[in-house]
Amino acid sequence: WSIARSPLILGADLTKLDGFTLALITNDEVIAVDQASANNRELFRRDGFCGWVADVPDSTDKYLAIFNTRDVPAGGDENSAAVPVKLSELEFPDVGRIRNLWTHEDLGTFTNEFAPFINFHGAGLYRASPVR
């Protein structure tokens, strides 16, 4: 919901949140996507995958949300699928750095494509930085 700049609403007893939920709803990097991103739009929709992108203010960086809308394959052991995103779709040169906003983890430098594994009916949220 952050990539769509939707109001973030929680219906819960805030005094009884567990540590995971509290960390989730107070994640400053995710809140920044919701509160400060610009030009938010769908980037692609293909093969059961969807991507949204938004501009990071005062930066050449992009926020990137990736959704896996696929169902778990019948009889399959997999719980996720690689979702390929060409860096050129982000209007980047061939190389970019990627940060996972949920985990606050720098994932490294990628050439031509970033293809994270996203759980079926799951999502990932990233900050992509071009390397020139």
Side-chain angles (χ1 to χ4, degrees), residues 36-93:
S37 59
N39 199 21
N40 304 52
R41 63 204 178 277
E42 186 177 287
L43 183 65
F44 62 83
R45 182 178 296 268
R46 58 182 174 251
D47 303 323
F49 303 131
C50 182
W52 271 62
V53 67
D55 297 333
V56 177
D58 302 318
S59 174
T60 58
D61 292 3
K62 302 281 187 190
Y63 291 124
L64 174 65
I66 302 172
F67 305 92
N68 180 347
T69 65
R70 291 180 173 179
D71 291 325
V72 176
D77 293 335
E78 307 89 13
N79 62 359
S80 65
V83 182
V85 180
K86 298 274 187 210
L87 295 179
S88 60
E89 292 179 282
L90 301 174
E91 300 175 2
F92 281 8

Side-chain angles (χ1 to χ4, degrees), residues 106-128:
D106 291 323
L107 301 179
T109 302
F110 294 82
T111 302
N112 297 321
E113 182 177 89
F114 171 59
F117 280 83
I118 305 293
N119 288 340
F120 295 105
H121 294 278
L125 188 60
Y126 307 92
R127 182 172 176 153

